[in-house]
């Protein structure tokens, strides 16, 4: 049942309220927005609302779902009018039912603020003088903003129509190329330092559908390189923030959001829904999974990674005879040997440059432009501004082990078997109560700067886990690190050594600190 609706006629508020009735609801709250006779000192005679209906309904449904999840309400609904309204007419109605009235009130407030901020609905005011003006509908208070912080938005002169004239002027693009982009479906895995420029440029270019996969929430340490977000967004899911940004930048782009990482059980099916996938995480396990899913599904993939002032770029064509990631590196390296922004540091523009290169390669592929280095590994050095292109010999890679598809299938089968290694706990106390002994696999300096929130954990650095496998004898062990990557890799190493009673905390310590 739809929870967000656009009405061109009078809203039946009693009927809407009755839909929210539930035996578990002790509180009910409704908001009604009416057309008033003045605005900013001008006498108003009436209003007209126009909406980009398909996108408004999809985004409205998402907003109501967010409110239900965020505030734990039983149900919520929203109705927005379109067309011509008179003074005193109801323009918007929001209702929520919940076990207690406070949750219902907060959910209503969230919904009304978000629909003003995010929905492609435009308002024209008609004045008693006979004049009329389109006015912005986005000047709202958002609950997570700091007091005194204000957003400034430009009013739309009319419902937004994208202007692609600068890129269609290119001979290689034109109207035919723009139509190709509008029909394209691109999946972006990771909405961080690489993903931000990728998502922004593809949305601006007019890609028809963007899929965004990211399970992380925004941290203050992200902002120096993830410039698509604001300080008041800290703690929010990046995938949801990125979706809002796309809606604000180009409302004609359809967005699909995954707030949980893909895994071996669903990656291939998700890839098959898209024309191209762009991997933008700093997680080697995600890159290998993406490469495997790409070659099995036949979906081209663009990979990038960064290390301090350097980056790497690879295009996986996902065709017979074309190299994949495992042709380059057959075995997944340990997280310690690869490094990450957290452990190695990063200068903000570096992922921005590599992400822009990924977006450029994506548009070249979708438009059918030349890709002279598609079969190579491109090494980008932003200290001396050099780029090297190293050919990848597919014949010397997976071809020696049955080919990329067969190697990928075996790898995914192993990953499916290993999925039960990762366990989810809201608190470490819950893991202890369930009978697990905690093992901190971080480095000693990490323990000093960020101590384990509970006492009594063993300390075995991840690089030493395999050689100390004999210490994991009795009981069950839960390995813990900052993000779950090192602990997961260490648990798989121990399983390979025959130790079956070891598990990894999914998401690591960061997952325990998600705000409620």
């Amino acid at each position: 049942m739809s929870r967000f609706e656009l009405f061109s006629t009078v809203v039946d508020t009693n009927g809407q309220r009755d839909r929210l009735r539930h035996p578990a609801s002790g509180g009910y709250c409704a908001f009604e927005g009416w057309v008033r006779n003045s605005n900013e000192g001008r006498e108003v005679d009436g209003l007209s609302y126009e909406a980009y209906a398909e996108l408004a309904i999809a985004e409205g449904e998402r907003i109501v779902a967010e409110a239900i999840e965020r505030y734990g309400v039983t149900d919520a609904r929203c109705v927005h009018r379109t067309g011509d309204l008179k003074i005193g007419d109801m323009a918007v109605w929001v209702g929520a039912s919940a076990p207690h009235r406070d949750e219902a009130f907060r959910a209503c407030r969230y919904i009304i603020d978000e629909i003003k901020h995010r929905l492609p609905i435009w308002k024209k005011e008609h004045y008693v003088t006979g004049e009329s003006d389109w006015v912005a509908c986005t000047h709202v208070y958002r609950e997570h903003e700091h007091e005194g912080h204000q957003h400034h938005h430009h009013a739309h002169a009319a419902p937004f129509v994208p202007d692609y004239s600068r890129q269609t002027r290119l001979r290689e693009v034109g109207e035919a190329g723009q139509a190709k982009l509008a029909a394209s479906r691109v999946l972006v895995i990771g909405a961080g330092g690489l993903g931000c420029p990728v998502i922004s440029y593809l949305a601006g270019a007019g890609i028809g559908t963007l899929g965004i996969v990211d399970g992380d929430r925004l941290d203050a340490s992200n902002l120096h390189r993830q410039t698509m977000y604001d300080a008041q967004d800290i703690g929010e899911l990046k995938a949801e923030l990125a979706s809002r940004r796309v809606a604000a930048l180009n409302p004609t782009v359809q967005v699909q959001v995954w707030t949980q990482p893909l895994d071996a059980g669903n990656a291939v099916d998700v890839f098959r829904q898209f024309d191209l996938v762009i991997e933008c995480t700093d997680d080697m396990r995600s890159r290998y999974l993406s490469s495997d899913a790409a070659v099995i599904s036949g979906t081209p993939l663009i990979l990038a990674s960064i290390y301090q002032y350097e980056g790497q770029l690879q295009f996986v064509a996902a065709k017979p005879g074309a190299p994949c990631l495992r042709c380059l590196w057959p075995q997944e390296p340990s997280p310690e040997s690869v490094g990450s922004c957290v452990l190695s540091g990063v200068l903000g523009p570096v992922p921005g440059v590599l992400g822009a290169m990924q977006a450029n390669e994506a548009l070249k592929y979708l438009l059918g432009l030349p890709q002279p280095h598609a079969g190579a590994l491109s090494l980008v050095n932003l200290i001396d501004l050099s780029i090297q292109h190293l050919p990848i010999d597919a014949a010397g890679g997976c071809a020696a082990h049955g080919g990329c598809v067969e190697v990928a299938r075996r790898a995914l089968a192993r990953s499916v078997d290993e999925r039960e290694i990762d366990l989810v706990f809201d608190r470490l106390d819950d893991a202890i109560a369930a009978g697990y002994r905690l093992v901190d696999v971080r480095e000693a300096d990490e323990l000093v700067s960020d101590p384990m929130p509970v006492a009594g954990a063993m300390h075995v650095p991840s690089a030493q886990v395999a050689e100390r496998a004999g210490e994991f004898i009795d009981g069950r062990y839960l390995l813990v690190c900052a993000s779950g990557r090192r602990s997961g890799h260490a648990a798989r190493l121990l399983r390979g050594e025959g130790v079956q009673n070891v598990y990894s905390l999914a998401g690591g310590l960061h997952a325990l600190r998600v705000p409620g």
Side-chain angles (χ1 to χ4, degrees):
M1 181 180 66
S2 176
R3 289 191 170 96
F4 179 87
E5 298 175 278
L6 295 174
F7 272 32
S8 58
T9 57
V10 175
V11 179
D12 176 11
T13 56
N14 290 332
Q16 295 291 336
R17 181 190 61 198
D18 289 343
R19 292 186 186 185
L20 296 176
R21 291 186 183 276
H22 191 278
S25 298
Y28 166 78
C29 180
F31 169 87
E32 297 180 0
W34 302 329
V35 178
R36 62 182 180 180
N37 63 1
S38 65
N39 183 37
E40 297 183 354
R42 302 188 69 178
E43 292 185 73
V44 175
D45 190 40
L47 299 178
S48 297
Y49 283 101
E50 291 190 18
Y52 190 106
E54 187 178 51
L55 182 60
I57 291 171
E59 187 68 8
E61 290 281 0
R62 185 176 295 120
I63 289 169
V64 176
E66 289 170 6
I68 292 173
E69 180 179 5
R70 178 185 289 250
Y71 299 108
V73 299
T74 308
D75 203 356
R77 297 184 58 77
C78 177
V79 178
H80 202 295
R81 287 287 306 275
T82 58
D84 297 328
L85 282 73
K86 299 178 295 184
I87 302 299
D89 284 351
M90 184 185 300
V92 62
W93 180 91
V94 179
S97 58
H100 306 286
R101 64 179 182 273
D102 182 61
E103 292 97 328
F105 173 80
R106 287 158 62 85
C108 277
R109 181 175 181 175
Y110 178 84
I111 292 169
I112 187 60
D113 286 352
E114 292 298 309
I115 66 170
K116 288 183 178 179
H117 178 68
R118 293 161 54 180
L119 261 59
I121 297 178
W122 296 275
K123 177 173 66 176
K124 177 183 280 189
E125 290 183 337
H126 304 283
Y127 306 109
V128 296
T129 60
E131 300 173 296
S132 62
D133 277 323
W134 292 98
V135 297
C137 303
T138 53
H139 296 286
V140 299
Y141 168 85
R142 297 178 69 196
E143 186 172 345
H144 58 271
E145 291 180 356
H146 297 293
E147 183 177 358
H149 182 88
Q150 296 180 348
H151 279 287
H152 298 280
H153 300 272
H154 296 290
H156 289 290
F160 178 75
V161 177
D163 182 350
Y164 303 120
S165 59
R166 297 300 186 270
Q167 68 186 28
T168 56
R169 192 164 292 151
L170 291 167
R171 182 185 59 189
E172 297 85 357
V173 181
E175 295 300 329
Q178 192 61 51
K180 288 182 181 179
L181 298 182
S184 298
R185 298 173 56 85
V186 179
L187 180 68
V188 181
I189 302 177
L194 293 167
C196 281
V198 168
I199 293 167
S200 295
Y201 281 122
L202 294 188
I207 296 298
T209 299
L210 276 177
I212 302 174
V213 180
D214 200 308
D216 290 344
R217 292 178 183 266
L218 186 67
D219 186 81
S221 64
N222 302 148
L223 291 174
H224 85 292
R225 64 192 183 280
Q226 298 175 22
T227 54
M228 194 162 62
Y229 310 124
D230 298 328
Q232 69 268 15
D233 294 328
I234 291 171
E236 298 286 320
L237 286 166
K238 290 182 185 178
E240 296 290 355
L241 292 171
S243 176
R244 296 179 201 172
R245 173 58 184 158
V246 172
L249 175 63
N250 190 345
T252 68
V253 177
Q254 301 294 310
V255 182
Q256 295 175 248
V257 170
W258 283 261
T259 56
Q260 295 295 327
L262 302 183
D263 59 37
N266 65 3
V268 173
D269 289 337
V270 172
F271 274 39
R272 285 181 174 140
Q273 301 173 31
F274 293 88
D275 304 310
L276 175 68
V277 178
I278 308 176
E279 216 289 334
C280 299
T281 74
D282 60 355
D283 182 356
M284 281 301 296
R285 190 161 178 79
S286 175
R287 292 175 205 155
Y288 275 89
L289 173 65
S290 294
S291 178
D292 295 336
V295 297
I296 291 174
S297 66
T299 309
L301 169 71
I302 301 175
L303 294 158
S305 61
I306 57 171
Y307 180 77
Q308 295 185 340
Y309 306 99
E310 301 174 353
Q312 298 183 359
L313 189 71
Q314 181 183 356
F315 181 86
V316 177
K319 294 180 179 179
C324 70
L325 181 62
R326 292 188 186 274
C327 290
L328 184 61
W329 293 301
Q331 298 298 324
E332 178 185 341
S334 67
E336 299 90 340
S337 66
V338 177
S340 67
C341 296
V342 174
L343 298 177
S344 305
V346 60
L347 198 65
V350 176
V353 171
L354 269 296
M357 293 178 71
Q358 283 183 290
N360 193 60
E361 290 302 304
L363 294 174
K364 284 165 56 181
Y365 168 76
L366 295 171
L367 291 167
L369 300 180
Q371 294 177 283
H373 302 293
L377 177 69
S378 298
L379 306 179
V380 181
N381 187 321
L382 294 181
I383 292 294
D384 60 15
L385 298 181
S386 65
I387 300 179
Q388 294 178 279
H389 304 290
L390 306 181
I392 302 172
D393 183 9
C398 296
H401 305 281
C404 294
V405 173
E406 182 57 33
V407 170
R409 284 176 176 159
R410 291 197 295 263
L412 283 184
R414 289 194 302 271
S415 295
V416 169
D417 293 338
E418 293 173 349
R419 278 190 296 177
E420 55 88 27
I421 287 178
D422 295 316
L423 301 181
V424 176
F425 289 100
D426 293 331
R427 303 183 308 153
L428 290 179
D429 288 336
D430 296 336
I432 295 172
Y436 291 92
R437 185 171 181 185
L438 304 183
V439 182
D440 195 331
V441 300
R442 296 177 297 164
E443 298 301 316
D445 59 336
E446 293 179 85
L447 273 63
V448 174
S449 62
D450 189 13
M452 183 77 92
V454 296
M458 293 173 56
H459 177 224
V460 181
S462 57
Q464 302 176 19
V465 162
E467 63 190 64
R468 295 174 61 176
E471 298 181 26
F472 299 86
I473 302 174
D474 298 321
R476 294 182 298 175
Y477 296 84
L478 183 68
L479 310 189
V480 180
C481 69
S483 67
R485 296 171 188 167
R486 283 174 288 171
S487 59
H489 184 78
R492 290 189 291 275
L493 283 178
L494 288 170
R495 292 289 182 98
E497 296 290 328
V499 181
Q500 299 301 313
N501 57 338
V502 292
Y503 303 84
S504 168
L505 177 65
L509 293 175
H510 292 166
L512 301 175
R513 297 169 186 172
V514 174

